[in-house]
């Protein structure tokens, strides 16, 4: 896959951990942005070492985290509802980047046979405490063994996209479904906040996708996009973080209205802050 850096798009600061500045470059072939430089495998893990990296904790230390965990419960139910919509029945589910495992717990409670993969040791240990099967390496899993594979805000973190998609092909049954959610750099809130947009999240987010990018990246591997779904809460959550990055304050009211406008603006274009892509193999 040819990911040329055709032109510089924006400089963005890592507000979460290092305070370093990274560049985003636009690639015309795939209509996506790329973070530069990409940290090496040896140091990449250091950029995840933060108490504020909320997807790796079950924290309820403050109002923001309590709201996040409350909304997450609603979102988890909707995610499992989407599984049933795509397959019409229960089956074998693999969640890549399963974090602390709450999505898998919800799916398991509703009849799914579940497996998870999580590279972060702290999050993986929390998931295992919930009696979940979570592997350290995808290579441990057998070929064509899953009816559904999910990646909830994971694909943007993966250094080698081609290698990952080949692995997804190996693990998914021929009639299986692939469901992935990623931020959308063409959303209203992204365009409004620019270098302060929290979903750029450099350098943890290596890739920054558009709708065209997902289609162009997956088509050569015989995947097709069957359906798009918005993640409506993300615009509010991302706007709240972006306000803090921009002004030093959360500015709850302003963030709410920016998030709301982002969702309204996206009603016709589907350019929501984050999008869920439901894909299947071309048979």
């Amino acid at each position: 896959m040819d990911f040329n850096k055709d032109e510089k798009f924006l400089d963005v600061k890592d507000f979460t951990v290092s305070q370093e500045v990274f560049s985003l470059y636009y690639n015309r072939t795939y209509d996506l942005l790329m973070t530069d430089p990409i940290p090496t495998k040896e140091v990449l893990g250091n950029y995840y070492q933060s108490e504020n990296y909320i997807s790796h904790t079950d924290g309820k230390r403050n109002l923001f985290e309590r709201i996040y965990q409350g909304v997450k419960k609603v979102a988890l139910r909707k995610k499992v509802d989407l599984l049933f919509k795509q397959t019409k029945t229960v089956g074998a589910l693999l969640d890549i980047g399963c974090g602390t495992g709450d999505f898998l717990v919800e799916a398991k409670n509703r009849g799914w046979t579940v497996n998870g993969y999580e590279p972060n040791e702290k999050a993986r240990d929390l998931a295992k405490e919930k009696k979940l099967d979570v592997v350290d390496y995808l290579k441990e899993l057998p070929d064509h063994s899953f009816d559904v594979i999910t990646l909830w805000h994971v694909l943007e973190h993966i250094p080698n996209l081609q290698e990952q998609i080949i692995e997804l092909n190996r693990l998914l049954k021929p009639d299986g479904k692939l469901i992935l959610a990623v931020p959308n750099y063409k959303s209203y809130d992204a365009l409004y906040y620019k270098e302060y947009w929290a979903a750029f999240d450099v350098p943890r987010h290596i890739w920054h996708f558009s709708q065209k990018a997902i289609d162009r990246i997956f088509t050569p591997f015989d995947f097709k996009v069957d359906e798009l779904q918005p993640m409506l809460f993300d615009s509010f959550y991302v706007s709240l973080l972006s306000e803090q990055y921009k002004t030093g304050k959360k500015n709850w009211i302003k963030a709410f209205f920016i998030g709301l406008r982002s969702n309204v603006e996206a009603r016709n274009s589907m350019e929501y802050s984050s999008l869920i892509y439901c894909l299947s193999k071309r048979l």
Side-chain angles (χ1 to χ4, degrees):
M1 301 176 79
D2 179 18
F3 292 118
N4 289 329
K5 293 182 286 186
D6 294 321
E7 59 187 88
K8 192 171 182 177
F9 183 80
L10 197 63
D11 286 327
V12 181
K13 185 178 180 180
D14 171 16
F15 293 95
T16 305
V17 177
S18 69
Q19 309 305 308
E20 298 171 27
V21 175
F22 294 81
S23 296
L24 302 182
Y25 283 87
Y26 178 67
N27 176 277
R28 294 191 189 92
T29 302
Y30 292 100
D31 193 41
L32 88 167
L33 305 177
M34 305 176 293
T35 297
D36 184 76
I38 299 173
T40 63
K41 185 177 180 180
E42 289 72 24
V43 302
L44 184 58
N46 297 335
Y47 291 96
Y48 289 85
Q49 301 306 314
S50 170
E51 291 297 320
N52 296 321
Y53 204 70
I54 196 166
S55 66
H56 286 168
T57 75
D58 288 332
K60 296 181 181 178
R61 298 168 299 178
N62 50 50
L63 177 61
F64 178 69
E65 287 188 356
R66 289 194 293 273
I67 291 173
Y68 176 89
Q69 299 296 347
V71 173
K72 185 170 78 170
K73 289 182 180 179
V74 177
L76 290 174
R77 289 195 294 270
K78 290 187 175 181
K79 287 177 180 178
V80 178
D81 288 342
L82 181 60
L83 298 184
F84 283 105
K85 182 180 178 183
Q86 291 297 310
T87 64
K88 312 302 181 187
T89 185
V90 296
L93 167 68
L94 171 64
D95 187 30
I96 295 177
C98 65
T100 60
D102 291 332
F103 168 64
L104 289 177
V105 170
E106 179 71 20
K108 184 178 181 180
N109 289 342
R110 293 172 63 179
W112 288 80
T113 302
V114 302
N115 284 88
Y117 163 71
E118 173 54 54
N120 181 270
E121 184 178 3
K122 179 181 177 182
R124 187 170 63 244
D125 288 344
L126 287 170
K128 288 181 177 180
E129 288 175 9
K130 298 169 185 175
K131 311 300 182 186
L132 296 169
D133 292 322
V134 182
V135 299
D136 298 356
Y137 301 99
L138 289 176
K139 299 294 184 184
E140 299 175 31
L141 300 170
D143 295 356
H144 308 306
S145 51
F146 295 100
D147 298 287
V148 180
I149 298 177
T150 53
L151 298 91
W152 303 108
H153 286 296
V154 169
L155 195 68
E156 60 268 30
H157 295 261
I158 295 171
N160 193 322
L161 288 179
Q162 180 170 326
E163 183 179 289
Q164 182 64 67
I165 297 171
I166 291 171
E167 189 69 350
L168 293 173
N169 247 325
R170 180 185 73 82
L171 293 166
L172 197 63
K173 292 181 180 180
D175 59 347
K177 300 287 185 178
L178 175 63
I179 299 175
L180 57 93
V182 292
N184 173 24
Y185 78 88
K186 293 191 175 183
S187 65
Y188 174 83
D189 50 298
L191 298 175
Y192 178 84
Y193 285 110
K194 299 179 181 177
E195 69 267 29
Y196 299 104
W197 190 52
F200 281 134
D201 198 24
V202 295
R204 290 158 295 279
H205 290 189
I206 297 169
W207 313 101
H208 312 274
F209 300 101
S210 65
Q211 293 182 47
K212 288 181 181 178
I214 294 295
D215 182 66
R216 292 175 183 177
I217 288 169
F218 279 87
T219 293
F221 297 92
D222 291 327
F223 281 99
K224 60 185 178 70
V225 178
D226 297 320
E227 185 178 356
L228 275 177
Q229 292 279 344
M231 300 190 81
L232 297 175
F233 171 69
D234 279 33
S235 64
F236 300 104
Y237 171 68
V238 170
S239 294
L240 194 60
L241 288 178
S242 302
E243 280 293 325
Q244 186 171 17
Y245 294 165
K246 186 175 182 178
T247 68
K249 301 177 182 179
K250 283 204 165 62
N251 295 329
W252 293 79
I253 295 176
K254 184 175 181 181
F256 172 80
F257 281 106
I258 296 298
L260 180 63
R261 181 169 180 182
S262 185
N263 287 339
V264 170
E265 294 279 344
R267 285 181 301 177
N268 294 322
S269 66
M270 287 297 292
E271 300 288 9
Y272 289 92
S273 185
S274 291
L275 285 164
I276 300 171
Y277 296 83
C278 301
L279 301 97
S280 62
K281 294 184 180 182
R282 299 180 187 274
L283 300 176

